[in-house]
Amino acid sequence: MSSDNLACPSTSDLRTQPVAALDKEGIGPAMMSIPMIACSTSLSEHHSGGSGTNKNKQMVEQLQRYGVISSKKVVEVMETIDRALFVPDGTPAYVDSPMAIGYNATISAPHMHATCLQLLEENLQPGMHALDVGSGTGYLTACFATMVGPQGRAIGVEHIPELVASSIKNIEKSAAASLLKGGSLSVHAGDGREGWPEHAPYDAIHVGAAAAEIPQPLIDQLKPGGRMVIPVGKIFQDLQVVDKNLDGSVSIRNETAVRYVPLTSRDAQLKGY
């Protein structure tokens, strides 16, 4: 479940394509249109110098200019958690594309991280509980933890034990290290399709791979008033926003067309699905 979306048109991330292109493919228009973001170059490549921290900030600023980020809080957290600490060594950290992280898994493109953080922002307030299913390298889990703070709880669930171990090391190098040490942030090996009942219910749930249908345990573990963001579908997929109403009923809407790898078992993932 650490597998992720494919962000470039060349790797079939429909979200970066114009709405008209979606119509031609018979998928229907996405409900949110984002300008095309160049995938072959770094978002900040026109700045040849500077530290990694500066380049991370430049990446975020360019996402703002593209209109991907409008939230000041999302800007703040993405500037705080340096993406370079969560990608493999030698990988261009600030390119707006998913990156392979081993085990047939990826880390999302920055624009997808930004989109999901904005969709979940109101459910990532200080003191709230968040669940990241398919936490991969730990980047988004660290962002969640930073937003909910030491009085909240951020849980990452990843079914590849090696990725759990490496993600913890990544977080230890990041601005979220104190939250990990303090216990408000943790990453666990397990089947994320079953959620993580120990710290349920959750105000926010993010799923990083496409489910054929929304797993019932995740709906059950969503708090009334909570929100889940999950890609759903097989060949054609939508990023769905699932809101649990205060009476326990569930409302679902499609946010945009996407292309993610499947939410599946550990064995199936390691075999290439």
Side-chain angles (χ1 to χ4, degrees):
M1 272 144 338
S2 53
S3 304
D4 220 326
N5 61 302
L6 303 175
C8 300
S10 61
T11 50
S12 305
D13 178 7
L14 303 175
R15 189 176 189 284
T16 60
Q17 298 182 27
V19 169
L22 294 174
D23 287 333
K24 289 178 182 177
E25 294 298 324
I27 298 173
M31 295 181 69
M32 181 169 59
S33 178
I34 297 295
M36 185 73 75
I37 295 176
C39 298
S40 60
T41 58
S42 168
L43 285 167
S44 57
E45 72 167 2
H46 58 285
H47 300 278
S48 58
S51 68
T53 300
N54 287 338
K55 290 180 180 179
N56 188 71
K57 184 175 181 179
Q58 290 159 7
M59 177 193 77
V60 176
E61 289 172 347
Q62 191 136 343
L63 287 169
Q64 286 182 279
R65 287 194 291 273
Y66 280 125
V68 177
I69 303 176
S70 58
S71 161
K72 291 182 179 179
K73 186 65 176 177
V74 172
V75 168
E76 180 182 334
V77 72
M78 290 187 69
E79 287 182 349
T80 299
I81 304 299
D82 189 348
R83 178 177 168 87
L85 300 175
F86 294 87
V87 300
D89 291 342
T91 301
Y94 308 113
V95 172
D96 193 39
S97 173
M99 301 291 174
I101 59 173
Y103 310 97
N104 292 318
T106 65
I107 178 174
S108 282
H111 77 270
M112 285 304 302
H113 282 149
T115 296
C116 292
L117 286 168
Q118 289 204 152
L119 288 169
L120 292 169
E121 180 180 5
E122 294 304 312
N123 297 86
L124 293 168
Q125 300 299 312
M128 290 185 171
H129 283 208
L131 175 66
D132 186 18
V133 173
S135 50
T137 66
Y139 175 82
L140 208 56
T141 317
C143 290
F144 290 168
T146 302
M147 294 177 79
V148 302
Q151 302 305 314
R153 188 87 197 197
I155 304 293
V157 180
E158 168 57 55
H159 62 189
I160 306 294
E162 293 86 351
L163 288 177
V164 173
S166 62
S167 69
I168 291 171
K169 292 179 180 178
N170 295 339
I171 293 167
E172 288 173 340
K173 294 181 288 186
S174 78
S178 63
L179 299 169
L180 182 70
K181 185 176 181 180
S184 62
L185 164 57
S186 58
V187 184
H188 306 272
D191 187 340
R193 295 172 296 182
E194 300 298 322
W196 196 257
E198 180 181 350
H199 297 291
Y202 296 98
D203 299 277
I205 298 177
H206 167 265
V207 182
E213 56 186 37
I214 301 171
Q216 187 62 44
L218 298 183
I219 295 175
D220 294 342
Q221 291 173 39
L222 192 62
K223 184 178 181 179
R227 169 171 285 188
M228 172 164 48
V229 175
I230 178 172
V232 178
K234 294 183 179 179
I235 298 174
F236 303 119
Q237 302 166 4
D238 290 296
L239 188 66
Q240 294 193 345
V241 177
V242 181
D243 290 311
K244 182 175 279 190
N245 304 310
L246 295 178
D247 63 2
S249 62
V250 173
S251 302
I252 302 174
R253 66 178 173 84
N254 293 339
E255 178 66 23
T256 187
V258 291
R259 180 65 62 84
Y260 281 70
V261 296
L263 183 68
T264 186
S265 69
R266 177 179 180 273
D267 287 345
Q269 180 174 320
L270 291 175
K271 292 175 181 176
Y273 315 104

